[in-house]
Amino acid sequence: MNSKEKPWLGNPQNTISILQKYGFRFQKKYGQNFLIDPHVLGKITAAAGVTEEDFVVEIGPGIGTLTQYLAHAAREVCAVEIDRNLLPILEDTLSAWPNVTVIHQDILKTDLQKLAEEKNQGKPMKIVANLPYYITTPIIMGLLEKQVPMESMTVMVQKEVAQRMQAEPGSREYGALSLAVRYYAEPYLAANVPPNCFIPRPNVGSAVIRLTRRERPPVETRDPALMFRLIRAAFNQRRKTLLNGLRNDPELNLSREAAEAAIVHCGLDPSVRGETLGLAEYGALADYLTETH
Ligand code: SAM
């Protein structure tokens, strides 16, 4: 069957009719909010820059709405869905797109390295998703930290999360997530999306953000794990000074003197707050502590 003969799902009527045909019941625990706005679906696909050369992995296809758009633009799509009840629906709604494979799995347990090898000769793939919001951060950080072969991920997330990922030092939204994202990727906010673009409507605003993986981190530090430990320590005690954040962290096990010496060595004031520092400063602190401890 040709894709033109199948109804495109990305509007309220076709979505509701598929949901009714299969008597589908939304499962809150899986963060199910399906897109019903063709404009937004087009924007996600465009922001991801999907071309017919691309192998795309979609996280959580739902009833296959975004999957149809991706399959139309890409060479091949693999969609990973946790909810068994969606499988017969996906078989139906994606039957006109032979370049789609649906995998019934939890994305947090999916071996994406293996998938890239099998389907894309190990080359970097594009990841696209309207993410289930209950596991946004583990999914994004997992993909970035595990060095999955990935060119970019273009994802719908809660608006506040998109703002945190993009935030600059000193702003209210700036935190450990902002630093971690910037270490691995370049963020680009592609669109803000209101609740009425989904069924059911989420009770938060949403945004589409693209994270393009960097070839090299913007700071070279000998021990990135220590740098991230320092970042977490600094933001665990947001209202406190960096000095208190570092010396109160049980894993770092730093005396007041050692923490102060590191801060001063890096040319910072001992009363500085962690939320004003960028990656370069955290990298320098980590390098100093690696040398001296
Ligand atoms: N892509 C569809 C759309 O845009 O209409 C659905 C998006 S909905 C926000 C999130 C989807 O992720 C749901 O289909 C949900 O069942 C699925 N999901 C939730 N947790 C998952 C997990 N751990 N692994 C894979 N899929 C998951």
Side-chain angles (χ1 to χ4, degrees):
M1 181 169 294
N2 176 313
S3 62
K4 290 195 186 79
E5 293 165 34
K6 275 271 168 186
W8 288 75
L9 289 166
N11 64 55
Q13 298 80 0
N14 293 350
T15 296
I16 289 167
S17 108
I18 280 286
L19 296 175
Q20 282 175 346
K21 178 173 167 190
Y22 287 90
F24 179 76
R25 300 175 84 89
F26 287 98
Q27 297 217 56
K28 232 183 167 168
K29 66 169 179 183
Y30 288 145
Q32 292 175 335
N33 300 94
F34 298 165
L35 275 166
I36 48 168
D37 187 311
H39 179 68
V40 173
L41 288 153
K43 264 204 158 162
I44 299 174
T45 316
V50 177
T51 72
E52 55 192 23
E53 321 259 282
D54 286 323
F55 171 58
V56 175
V57 169
E58 187 194 2
I59 301 165
I63 58 171
T65 313
L66 178 59
T67 328
Q68 292 183 336
Y69 279 72
L70 297 172
H72 200 68
R75 170 173 55 85
E76 194 172 352
V77 178
C78 246
V80 181
E81 174 56 61
I82 200 169
D83 185 356
R84 175 186 304 281
N85 297 332
L86 287 165
L87 302 181
I89 305 184
L90 287 164
E91 216 174 291
D92 179 357
T93 59
L94 299 173
S95 62
W97 283 274
N99 58 340
V100 179
T101 315
V102 174
I103 301 177
H104 177 218
Q105 218 168 48
D106 178 345
I107 189 66
L108 296 175
K109 297 186 182 141
T110 305
D111 188 343
L112 291 167
Q113 176 79 43
K114 197 164 143 222
L115 205 58
E117 273 154 28
E118 284 170 4
K119 302 272 190 187
N120 210 33
Q121 301 158 316
K123 285 186 293 184
M125 55 202 169
K126 286 183 176 158
I127 295 184
V128 184
N130 169 16
L131 285 178
Y133 293 171
Y134 74 105
I135 42 169
T136 302
T137 311
I139 291 177
I140 293 179
M141 289 316 299
L143 290 170
L144 292 172
E145 284 169 354
K146 278 188 214 138
Q147 299 287 324
V148 168
M150 173 187 79
E151 191 180 318
S152 63
M153 69 171 115
T154 306
V155 288
M156 178 87 72
V157 296
Q158 217 173 305
K159 195 174 170 186
E160 283 70 26
V161 177
Q163 285 165 343
R164 275 164 46 208
M165 289 198 273
Q166 269 212 314
E168 299 287 347
S171 66
R172 197 167 48 90
E173 294 87 9
Y174 188 63
L177 183 66
S178 328
L179 283 150
V181 161
R182 272 176 198 276
Y183 183 74
Y184 295 107
E186 267 182 67
Y188 164 72
L189 185 80
N192 283 314
V193 182
N196 63 5
C197 296
F198 303 84
I199 179 172
R201 292 179 185 199
N203 31 22
V204 290
S206 302
V208 178
I209 192 159
R210 181 183 66 220
L211 304 178
T212 306
R213 188 188 279 294
R214 293 182 192 276
E215 286 194 8
R216 212 170 291 132
V219 300
E220 298 288 341
T221 176
R222 261 166 276 166
D223 188 348
L226 175 61
M227 182 182 76
F228 284 116
R229 182 70 243 162
L230 295 173
I231 291 171
R232 276 197 299 277
F235 286 96
N236 270 345
Q237 306 208 320
R238 213 185 154 87
R239 282 169 214 295
K240 300 230 168 95
T241 59
L242 174 65
L243 178 57
N244 280 333
L246 297 190
R247 77 190 183 93
N248 290 337
D249 188 89
E251 250 182 74
L252 285 173
N253 196 20
L254 284 176
S255 67
R256 185 191 167 86
E257 291 69 32
E260 186 164 345
I263 292 169
V264 172
H265 174 86
C266 294
L268 301 166
D269 191 290
S271 67
V272 73
R273 287 176 192 278
E275 65 221 44
T276 63
L277 308 190
L279 275 171
E281 283 101 346
Y282 282 108
L285 278 170
D287 281 348
Y288 175 80
L289 288 169
T290 311
E291 276 165 29
T292 53
H293 281 72

